[in-house]
Amino acid sequence: LSALKIAQRICSKFIPPNAKNKICFVQADLSYGLGMFRPQSFHGVTAGLSISYADHWDSLRGEWDDNSYIGLLRDIYFLLIEGGELIFSTNVPNPDFFLIAKKSWKKIFLSWKLPLGIAVSLIMLLQARWLKASANVGRFHYLRSEQIVRILREIGFKDIRYKLTYEGQAWVFAATK
Protein backbone atom coordinates (compact mmCIF):
# COMPACT_ATOMS: atom_id res chain seq x y z
CA LEU A 1 0.00 0.00 0.00
CA SER A 2 1.15 3.53 -0.73
CA ALA A 3 1.48 6.12 2.02
CA LEU A 4 -1.44 7.96 0.42
CA LYS A 5 -3.72 4.91 0.64
CA ILE A 6 -2.68 4.28 4.24
CA ALA A 7 -3.45 7.91 5.18
CA GLN A 8 -6.85 7.68 3.48
CA ARG A 9 -7.67 4.45 5.26
CA ILE A 10 -6.62 5.71 8.70
CA CYS A 11 -8.29 9.11 8.37
CA SER A 12 -11.54 7.67 7.03
CA LYS A 13 -12.14 6.17 10.49
CA PHE A 14 -12.18 9.65 12.05
CA ILE A 15 -13.98 11.71 9.40
CA PRO A 16 -17.67 12.34 10.13
CA PRO A 17 -19.96 11.10 7.33
CA ASN A 18 -21.11 14.64 6.43
CA ALA A 19 -17.48 15.77 5.92
CA LYS A 20 -16.23 12.92 3.71
CA ASN A 21 -16.81 14.84 0.47
CA LYS A 22 -14.98 17.90 1.88
CA ILE A 23 -11.65 16.15 2.50
CA CYS A 24 -9.31 15.37 -0.37
CA PHE A 25 -5.99 13.55 -0.33
CA VAL A 26 -3.45 14.58 -2.96
CA GLN A 27 0.00 13.20 -3.68
CA ALA A 28 2.20 15.75 -5.43
CA ASP A 29 5.75 17.08 -5.61
CA LEU A 30 5.63 20.29 -3.58
CA SER A 31 8.64 21.62 -5.47
CA TYR A 32 6.27 22.38 -8.37
CA GLY A 33 3.88 24.44 -6.26
CA LEU A 34 0.21 24.10 -5.47
CA GLY A 35 -1.36 25.45 -8.65
CA MET A 36 -3.87 22.58 -8.71
CA PHE A 37 -5.91 24.32 -5.97
CA ARG A 38 -8.10 27.42 -6.15
CA PRO A 39 -6.86 30.58 -4.39
CA GLN A 40 -8.47 31.34 -1.03
CA SER A 41 -9.98 27.87 -0.75
CA PHE A 42 -8.40 26.70 2.53
CA HIS A 43 -9.01 27.67 6.14
CA GLY A 44 -5.80 26.01 7.22
CA VAL A 45 -2.76 24.18 5.92
CA THR A 46 -0.51 21.88 7.95
CA ALA A 47 2.79 20.38 6.89
CA GLY A 48 5.03 18.18 9.00
CA LEU A 49 8.71 18.44 8.04
CA SER A 50 7.93 18.71 4.32
CA ILE A 51 8.05 22.34 3.18
CA SER A 52 11.82 22.56 3.68
CA TYR A 53 12.28 19.83 1.06
CA ALA A 54 10.85 21.88 -1.84
CA ASP A 55 13.94 22.02 -4.04
CA HIS A 56 14.88 23.90 -7.20
CA TRP A 57 17.96 23.50 -9.37
CA ASP A 58 19.03 26.67 -11.20
CA SER A 59 20.62 25.29 -14.36
CA LEU A 60 21.98 28.70 -15.41
CA ARG A 61 23.93 29.17 -12.19
CA GLY A 62 24.51 25.46 -11.68
CA GLU A 63 23.31 25.44 -8.07
CA TRP A 64 20.37 24.82 -5.80
CA ASP A 65 18.33 27.84 -4.71
CA ASP A 66 15.30 28.65 -2.57
CA ASN A 67 12.86 29.51 -5.40
CA SER A 68 10.64 26.46 -4.85
CA TYR A 69 10.76 26.81 -1.05
CA ILE A 70 9.66 30.45 -1.10
CA GLY A 71 7.26 29.77 -3.98
CA LEU A 72 5.58 27.00 -1.98
CA LEU A 73 5.12 29.27 1.04
CA ARG A 74 3.73 31.97 -1.29
CA ASP A 75 1.33 29.42 -2.86
CA ILE A 76 0.10 28.42 0.59
CA TYR A 77 -0.48 32.08 1.44
CA PHE A 78 -2.67 32.52 -1.66
CA LEU A 79 -4.59 29.30 -0.94
CA LEU A 80 -5.60 30.50 2.53
CA ILE A 81 -8.71 32.56 3.15
CA GLU A 82 -8.21 35.82 5.06
CA GLY A 83 -7.53 34.78 8.64
CA GLY A 84 -6.51 31.26 7.54
CA GLU A 85 -3.55 29.64 9.26
CA LEU A 86 -0.43 27.78 8.20
CA ILE A 87 1.08 25.39 10.75
CA PHE A 88 4.28 23.61 9.77
CA SER A 89 7.42 22.10 11.19
CA THR A 90 10.96 22.18 9.89
CA ASN A 91 14.34 20.96 11.03
CA VAL A 92 16.77 23.36 12.67
CA PRO A 93 20.06 24.12 10.86
CA ASN A 94 22.43 21.14 11.16
CA PRO A 95 19.98 18.87 13.00
CA ASP A 96 21.40 16.10 15.13
CA PHE A 97 19.67 13.14 13.54
CA PHE A 98 21.35 10.78 16.02
CA LEU A 99 19.55 12.64 18.82
CA ILE A 100 16.28 12.36 16.87
CA ALA A 101 16.85 8.63 16.34
CA LYS A 102 17.72 8.21 20.03
CA LYS A 103 14.48 9.96 21.06
CA SER A 104 12.52 7.77 18.61
CA TRP A 105 14.34 4.57 19.60
CA LYS A 106 11.94 3.45 22.32
CA LYS A 107 8.86 3.97 20.14
CA ILE A 108 10.46 2.17 17.20
CA PHE A 109 11.31 -0.88 19.28
CA LEU A 110 8.01 -1.01 21.12
CA SER A 111 5.89 -0.74 17.98
CA TRP A 112 7.85 -2.85 15.47
CA LYS A 113 9.57 -6.18 15.51
CA LEU A 114 13.21 -5.88 16.59
CA PRO A 115 14.93 -6.64 13.22
CA LEU A 116 12.68 -4.19 11.39
CA GLY A 117 13.28 -1.54 14.08
CA ILE A 118 17.04 -1.89 13.70
CA ALA A 119 16.79 -1.68 9.88
CA VAL A 120 14.60 1.44 10.02
CA SER A 121 16.95 3.11 12.54
CA LEU A 122 19.98 2.42 10.36
CA ILE A 123 18.25 3.72 7.25
CA MET A 124 17.26 6.89 9.14
CA LEU A 125 20.84 7.49 10.26
CA LEU A 126 22.31 6.76 6.81
CA GLN A 127 19.82 9.07 5.12
CA ALA A 128 20.58 11.77 7.71
CA ARG A 129 24.06 12.25 6.26
CA TRP A 130 22.61 12.81 2.78
CA LEU A 131 19.91 15.18 4.10
CA LYS A 132 22.43 17.34 5.96
CA ALA A 133 24.79 17.43 2.98
CA SER A 134 21.88 18.42 0.71
CA ALA A 135 20.86 21.19 3.13
CA ASN A 136 24.45 22.44 3.28
CA VAL A 137 24.54 22.96 -0.50
CA GLY A 138 21.16 24.73 -0.50
CA ARG A 139 18.95 21.95 -1.85
CA PHE A 140 16.94 21.67 1.37
CA HIS A 141 16.13 24.49 3.75
CA TYR A 142 16.99 23.96 7.40
CA LEU A 143 16.88 27.62 8.34
CA ARG A 144 17.21 29.67 11.51
CA SER A 145 13.89 30.79 12.99
CA GLU A 146 14.70 34.44 12.20
CA GLN A 147 15.12 33.61 8.51
CA ILE A 148 11.81 31.76 8.38
CA VAL A 149 10.00 34.61 10.16
CA ARG A 150 11.49 37.13 7.68
CA ILE A 151 10.35 35.03 4.68
CA LEU A 152 6.85 34.57 6.11
CA ARG A 153 6.53 38.31 6.82
CA GLU A 154 7.76 39.23 3.32
CA ILE A 155 5.09 36.96 1.84
CA GLY A 156 2.41 38.65 3.94
CA PHE A 157 1.83 36.34 6.90
CA LYS A 158 1.18 37.97 10.26
CA ASP A 159 0.88 36.79 13.85
CA ILE A 160 3.85 34.43 13.38
CA ARG A 161 4.52 32.16 16.34
CA TYR A 162 7.06 29.40 16.73
CA LYS A 163 8.69 27.13 19.26
CA LEU A 164 11.54 24.68 19.38
CA THR A 165 10.48 21.04 19.75
CA TYR A 166 11.69 17.45 19.54
CA GLU A 167 14.88 17.64 21.57
CA GLY A 168 15.61 21.08 20.10
CA GLN A 169 15.89 19.65 16.58
CA ALA A 170 12.75 21.07 14.93
CA TRP A 171 10.75 24.28 14.80
CA VAL A 172 6.96 24.39 14.75
CA PHE A 173 5.59 27.56 13.16
CA ALA A 174 2.07 28.98 13.06
CA ALA A 175 1.32 31.98 10.86
CA THR A 176 -1.93 33.72 9.96
CA LYS A 177 -2.91 35.29 6.64
Side-chain angles (χ1 to χ4, degrees):
L1 281 179
S2 72
L4 184 64
K5 293 287 184 202
I6 292 169
Q8 288 172 319
R9 188 175 287 171
I10 291 170
C11 290
S12 70
K13 296 175 185 175
F14 302 101
I15 300 170
N18 62 343
K20 290 201 187 267
N21 64 346
K22 296 179 181 182
I23 296 174
C24 171
F25 291 86
V26 176
Q27 182 176 344
D29 184 342
L30 297 177
S31 299
Y32 296 105
L34 299 170
M36 74 273 289
F37 299 108
R38 287 179 296 126
Q40 298 183 2
S41 59
F42 287 84
H43 292 268
V45 173
T46 61
L49 297 175
S50 58
I51 291 175
S52 56
Y53 296 105
D55 62 7
H56 180 264
W57 177 256
D58 185 325
S59 56
L60 294 176
R61 293 187 330 213
E63 63 186 29
W64 296 102
D65 64 28
D66 60 4
N67 287 347
S68 289
Y69 174 74
I70 292 172
L72 177 58
L73 289 169
R74 194 172 286 122
D75 281 358
I76 292 169
Y77 180 82
F78 288 115
L79 290 177
L80 291 169
I81 63 167
E82 196 62 38
E85 191 158 49
L86 165 63
I87 300 172
F88 70 102
S89 58
T90 183
N91 290 323
V92 299
N94 294 310
D96 184 344
F97 285 102
F98 181 77
L99 189 61
I100 294 168
K102 182 179 170 188
K103 180 169 175 65
S104 305
W105 196 258
K106 187 175 185 181
K107 186 172 183 172
I108 288 171
F109 283 100
L110 291 178
S111 62
W112 295 335
K113 296 186 188 296
L114 189 60
L116 180 59
I118 292 170
V120 168
S121 297
L122 289 173
I123 290 168
M124 277 179 23
L125 291 172
L126 290 172
Q127 188 160 2
R129 186 175 299 152
W130 175 77
L131 289 170
K132 284 175 87 168
S134 294
N136 288 335
V137 297
R139 179 175 186 178
F140 301 139
H141 312 284
Y142 301 162
L143 305 176
R144 295 185 331 272
S145 60
E146 301 82 26
Q147 291 173 285
I148 297 170
V149 168
R150 180 184 49 76
I151 291 167
L152 292 171
R153 279 203 177 109
E154 287 173 359
I155 290 169
F157 283 101
K158 49 193 177 203
D159 189 27
I160 301 165
R161 301 155 329 270
Y162 60 93
K163 73 178 201 175
L164 201 53
T165 65
Y166 215 81
E167 297 294 317
Q169 301 304 301
W171 295 108
V172 174
F173 279 84
T176 305
K177 177 175 181 180

